């Protein structure tokens, strides 16, 4: 008597599961996709019930609905480990300035940059933010992203940071995507605190963190730990206060200059340390010693027209798990497209297609605290799956520029 499922996805060739021992992958294990030729997946109540050879799954299970992958590549849904999803307006004016030679920090100093987006976000009502963010999320889903981290950080006051995190919660309820909210009040010093950075750090710790913590609006707290932004000492104080309020630490660090942010991430047991273009050998060793995941954002280097990319090969050789994200934001990476990020990971970071896929699924899921629920095709996990217009994993980052996602299944539902 076959068992009842809600949906069976079959003739996945190959079915790339990334199944294996729990935990993020490091080193050579990043290149083990655990592929099944002509595989199938049985799904019930949004979860994966069984995974295996097509014939066996079709014999054991019956379902009212079937999706035929017609011999195409199937992978876990993509996980975007780093986004600044809630923003308003766009900054194409800075794009030309940068092409003409201005640096990211030059633009920030002339009143552009993060603070110009803060002005726009503060002037935008919650409903409008929700509407615009929902449009972004739909584009992400269409391109295969089924789980994403989403930071605040363009409000920079208790009222507006809470507004942004409420927008994340509302979008997550309304759309077929899992969003992991991160509080990032320490993204920049707002204008009203200009020249008084220590006072702003106090305000983040005294006012914003307790308010966000009490409303349970964020799972993580992130800080832009960078020379000229927040120091290692300030970042430590903020992240320890956030942890007391129930938010796990994450860091933007070593993006432009090495400041010891990677060492801080290791010291406080951050789940991830992100950017890392300027990381030192000492920083890499510290991340490795504490199992911190390196979240690399090659679309940011690419878009900032920088020749400096994070040393992904070094991380992989040293055994630091690598994850990928878009860094989706209006200033340094206006893309939602994890397929493009995988291509850049291969061409600019010299990751192999198999490593890039692991970094964009399983390791990204662990980087956002969702490793038990997403990132691989295994019984018990959410049924987040993509049927690609691609014959194999290598084709995905190779055929860049077009959307190769053919069918996106989120929690057992074809979206
Ligand atoms: O991750 N580095 C800091 N924050 C963003 C950029 C935000 C912006 O420019 O608006 C980033 O690249
Ligand atoms: Fe970022």
């Amino acid at each position: 008597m076959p068992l009842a499922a809600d949906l069976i996805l079959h003739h996945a060739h190959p079915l790339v599961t990334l199944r294996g021992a729990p935990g993020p992958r490091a080193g050579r294990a990043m290149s083990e996709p655990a592929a099944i030729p002509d595989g199938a997946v049985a799904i019930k109540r949004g979860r994966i019930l069984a995974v295996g050879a097509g014939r066996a799954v079709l014999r054991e299970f019956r379902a009212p609905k079937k999706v035929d992958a017609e011999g195409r590549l199937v992978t876990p849904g993509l996980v975007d480990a780093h986004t600044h999803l809630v923003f308003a307006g766009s900054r194409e004016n800075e794009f030309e300035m940068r092409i003409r030679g201005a640096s990211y920090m030059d633009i920030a100093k002339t009143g552009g940059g993060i603070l110009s987006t803060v002005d726009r976000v503060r002037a935008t009502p919650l409903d409008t933010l929700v509407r615009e963010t929902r449009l972004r999320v739909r584009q992400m889903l269409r391109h295969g992203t089924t789980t994403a981290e989403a930071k605040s950080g363009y409000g920079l006051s208790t009222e507006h940071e809470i507004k942004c995190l409420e927008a994340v919660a509302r979008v997550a309820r309304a759309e077929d995507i899992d969003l992991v909210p991160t509080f990032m009040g320490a993204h920049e010093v707002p204008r009203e605190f200009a020249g008084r950075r220590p006072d702003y750090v106090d305000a983040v710790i005294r006012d914003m963190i307790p308010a966000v913590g009490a409303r349970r609006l964020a799972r993580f707290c992130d800080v832009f730990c960078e020379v000229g932004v927040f120091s290692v000492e300030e970042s430590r104080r903020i992240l320890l206060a956030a942890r007391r309020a129930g938010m796990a630490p994450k860091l933007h660090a070593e993006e432009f200059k090495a400041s010891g942010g990677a060492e801080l991430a290791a010291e406080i047991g951050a789940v991830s340390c992100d950017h890392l273009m300027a990381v030192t050998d000492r920083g890499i060793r510290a991340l490795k010693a504490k199992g911190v995941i390196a979240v690399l954002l090659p679309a940011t280097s690419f878009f900032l027209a920088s020749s400096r990319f994070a040393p992904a090969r070094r991380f992989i050789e040293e055994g630091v798990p690598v994850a990928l994200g878009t860094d989706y934001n209006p200033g340094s990476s206006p893309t939602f497209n994890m397929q493009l990020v995988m291509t850049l990971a291969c061409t600019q970071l010299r990751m192999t297609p198999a490593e890039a896929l692991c970094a964009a699924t399983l390791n990204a899921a662990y980087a956002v605290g969702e490793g038990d629920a997403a990132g691989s095709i295994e019984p018990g996990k959410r049924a987040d799956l993509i049927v690609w217009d691609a014959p194999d994993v290598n084709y995905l980052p190779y055929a860049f520029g077009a959307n190769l996602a053919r069918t996106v299944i989120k929690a057992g539902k074809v979206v």
Side-chain angles (χ1 to χ4, degrees):
M1 202 33 199
L3 301 169
D6 299 331
L7 174 72
I8 294 175
L9 169 73
H10 65 107
H11 202 188
H13 187 65
L15 173 66
V16 171
T17 65
L18 281 116
R19 64 186 173 179
R25 302 264 175 91
R28 265 212 302 276
M30 285 188 70
S31 315
E32 291 160 12
I36 302 171
D38 197 2
V41 186
I43 296 163
K44 191 170 179 137
R45 288 195 202 94
R47 302 249 156 207
I48 296 168
L49 207 54
V51 184
R55 270 222 266 165
V57 172
L58 289 167
R59 204 181 318 115
E60 257 184 79
F61 295 91
R62 281 278 172 281
K65 219 177 144 207
K66 289 202 179 72
V67 172
D68 185 348
E70 296 173 349
R72 293 181 171 83
L73 169 71
V74 172
T75 71
L78 302 180
V79 179
D80 188 338
H82 182 133
T83 83
H84 303 255
L85 198 52
V86 184
F87 59 83
S90 55
R91 307 219 305 260
E92 62 275 25
N93 54 322
E94 294 173 13
F95 185 54
E96 194 191 338
M97 287 171 71
R98 212 161 28 238
I99 291 165
R100 291 181 184 281
S103 76
Y104 182 80
M105 286 298 181
D106 292 339
I107 291 166
K109 278 184 200 130
T110 61
I114 294 173
L115 292 182
S116 61
T117 301
V118 171
D119 294 338
R120 295 290 299 265
V121 166
R122 286 181 175 180
T124 305
L126 175 60
D127 283 342
T128 312
L129 280 179
V130 169
R131 201 169 55 238
E132 292 178 357
T133 307
R134 285 182 70 172
L135 296 176
R136 286 179 204 128
V137 158
R138 287 189 201 159
Q139 283 179 307
M140 292 163 75
L141 272 168
R142 274 198 289 276
H143 288 75
T145 299
T146 49
T147 300
E149 188 254 14
K151 301 175 202 296
S152 68
Y154 291 117
L156 308 188
S157 69
T158 304
E159 177 194 349
H160 293 288
E161 284 293 303
I162 285 177
K163 177 176 75 175
C164 293
L165 290 168
E166 269 170 0
V168 174
R170 276 177 50 178
V171 172
R173 281 197 295 272
E175 297 291 336
D176 291 312
I177 192 165
D178 281 284
L179 295 179
V180 177
T182 296
F183 165 67
M184 199 173 176
H187 192 196
E188 181 53 287
V189 177
R191 292 188 211 285
E192 62 276 19
F193 282 88
R196 298 189 293 126
R197 195 170 70 190
D199 294 342
Y200 183 63
V201 172
D202 287 342
V204 170
I205 291 171
R206 253 200 339 259
D207 307 331
M208 291 187 212
I209 287 174
V212 171
R215 289 170 178 76
R216 298 182 174 285
L217 280 169
R219 291 227 326 244
F220 292 99
C221 176
D222 193 345
V223 174
F224 192 7
C225 178
E226 188 71 33
V227 176
V229 196
F230 295 96
S231 69
V232 166
E233 181 49 42
E234 289 162 341
S235 304
R236 181 188 290 112
R237 280 180 58 213
I238 292 166
L239 292 173
L240 292 179
R243 180 147 65 200
R244 286 192 292 275
M247 291 171 255
K250 267 182 177 289
L251 274 162
H252 276 64
E254 332 286 40
E255 181 174 352
F256 302 107
K257 290 206 176 87
S259 68
E263 288 89 331
L264 174 64
E267 173 199 315
I268 62 176
V271 59
S272 75
C273 188
D274 303 27
H275 280 297
L276 295 164
M277 283 94 99
V279 71
T280 62
D281 286 351
R282 217 180 126 212
I284 295 175
R285 283 196 301 273
L287 296 177
K288 153 80 176 139
K290 292 294 166 64
V292 181
I293 300 173
V295 174
L296 307 185
L297 309 164
T300 305
S301 300
F302 172 74
F303 187 73
L304 294 179
S306 161
S307 51
R308 192 171 211 184
F309 285 82
R313 290 258 53 95
R314 290 266 306 150
F315 287 121
I316 293 171
E317 278 154 22
E318 297 292 329
V320 177
V322 171
L324 291 168
T326 56
D327 199 19
Y328 190 13
N329 78 76
S332 66
S333 185
T335 184
F336 54 80
N337 190 342
M338 283 294 288
Q339 296 175 47
L340 173 64
V341 168
M342 286 171 63
T343 296
L344 295 172
C346 294
T347 59
Q348 309 302 309
L349 304 184
R350 305 279 166 169
M351 291 170 69
T352 65
E355 288 168 344
L357 181 66
C358 173
T361 54
L362 189 68
N363 282 3
Y366 278 102
V368 302
E370 287 286 288
D372 295 338
S376 62
I377 304 177
E378 298 184 74
K381 287 201 177 184
R382 278 196 299 267
D384 300 348
L385 308 159
I386 315 294
V387 182
W388 298 100
D389 263 324
D392 54 40
V393 170
N394 285 354
Y395 190 87
L396 257 191
Y398 153 80
F400 86 105
N403 180 14
L404 297 175
R406 180 186 179 89
T407 307
V408 178
I409 298 175
K410 175 63 195 176
K413 179 174 152 197
V414 178
V415 295

